[in-house]
Amino acid sequence: MDFPLIRTFEVSPLLTSFLNKKFDQYKKEEDGRYNPNSNFDQEKGYQSENLLDWSDKKFENFIDSELKKLVSNQLKLDESKFSYHWIHFLDYEKGGSMEYHNHAHNEDFVMFVYLKDCDGGETVFNLNNYDEDSFKRTQVSIRPSKDRAAIFSSLVYHCGKHTEEEKRIFVVGIKIDTSGKY
């Protein structure tokens, strides 16, 4: 089995363009409806509600085809071996950040697709949180760059550093099913 703690990769500019258009469409159609359970400060950012509940045929087709292929390729898993737990758009505004957290309580892997370039607002991952030395020693930082993506274990603690620019991310929570033979 070949499951990474974290893997970065590039995505097509067409994919990023599609997601940016859908993000703008969602915010307009949903009247900026904000996820009340978000870790975000509503004054410094926006997190959509779960997009699995959004009735948009083009988006539904995207997550059932292109997104499934992308996740399958990155995790080296058959498409029948995973499902989405949630999908969100995140929009960090000037001064926005997100505290350290992980997703182990919800899903097994998380995928970010960065939708805009941003000079600040790095995502910092800590591959080992056993003690303070391990936490500092295993930091990996990704600068938000349009068409860049990351997929990582939900056990990995990460945060969004303070940003002075708008930062947009498409986020997917993934549950896997490893029962059976490998």
Side-chain angles (χ1 to χ4, degrees), residues 5 8 15 18-19 42 63-64 66-67 73 93 96 103 106 116 119 128 158 165 170 181-182:
L5 276 179
T8 59
L15 183 135
F18 172 81
L19 290 173
Q42 291 188 32
I63 64 175
D64 287 338
E66 193 170 344
L67 186 60
N73 287 338
E93 296 172 3
H103 297 247
N106 282 332
K116 291 191 173 194
D119 284 333
N128 185 343
H158 57 286
E165 298 179 69
F170 176 69
K181 294 181 181 180
Y182 279 89

Side-chain angles (χ1 to χ4, degrees), residues 9 11 15 19 52 59-74 79 82 84 86-87 111 113 170-174:
F9 57 99
V11 296
L15 183 135
L19 290 173
L52 292 174
F59 188 76
E60 290 170 5
N61 289 339
F62 164 76
I63 64 175
D64 287 338
S65 60
E66 193 170 344
L67 186 60
K68 275 215 181 223
K69 288 177 191 167
L70 181 63
V71 172
S72 176
N73 287 338
Q74 290 304 315
E79 292 178 12
F82 67 87
Y84 307 122
W86 52 260
I87 298 175
M111 185 174 72
V113 177
F170 176 69
V171 184
V172 182
I174 304 159

Side-chain angles (χ1 to χ4, degrees), residues 44-61:
K44 302 209 180 195
Y46 170 86
Q47 177 178 322
S48 71
E49 292 187 327
N50 192 339
L51 297 171
L52 292 174
D53 299 328
W54 185 29
S55 293
D56 181 89
K57 288 295 179 199
K58 284 185 180 178
F59 188 76
E60 290 170 5
N61 289 339

Side-chain angles (χ1 to χ4, degrees), residues 74-174:
Q74 290 304 315
L75 290 179
K76 297 179 174 46
L77 271 179
D78 185 88
E79 292 178 12
S80 67
K81 292 289 187 179
F82 67 87
S83 61
Y84 307 122
H85 181 65
W86 52 260
I87 298 175
H88 292 288
F89 287 125
L90 298 178
D91 200 354
Y92 290 72
E93 296 172 3
K94 184 176 180 174
S97 64
M98 191 175 285
E99 298 296 320
Y100 270 106
H101 64 285
N102 72 17
H103 297 247
H105 59 287
N106 282 332
E107 62 270 335
D108 305 305
F109 285 89
V110 181
M111 185 174 72
F112 288 175
V113 177
Y114 295 97
L115 303 178
K116 291 191 173 194
D117 292 329
C118 183
D119 284 333
E122 293 85 0
T123 305
V124 178
F125 298 89
N126 292 82
L127 305 180
N128 185 343
N129 67 330
Y130 177 73
D131 58 22
E132 188 176 342
D133 175 59
S134 299
F135 198 73
K136 290 178 182 175
R137 183 174 42 79
T138 63
Q139 281 190 347
V140 176
S141 189
I142 298 175
R143 191 178 119 240
S145 180
K146 187 177 176 187
D147 307 329
R148 178 178 287 161
I151 195 162
F152 57 96
S153 166
S154 65
L155 299 171
V156 174
Y157 277 86
H158 57 286
C159 70
K161 290 290 191 183
H162 176 90
T163 182
E164 288 298 317
E165 298 179 69
E166 184 179 296
K167 177 173 101 173
R168 276 189 165 187
I169 305 175
F170 176 69
V171 184
V172 182
I174 304 159

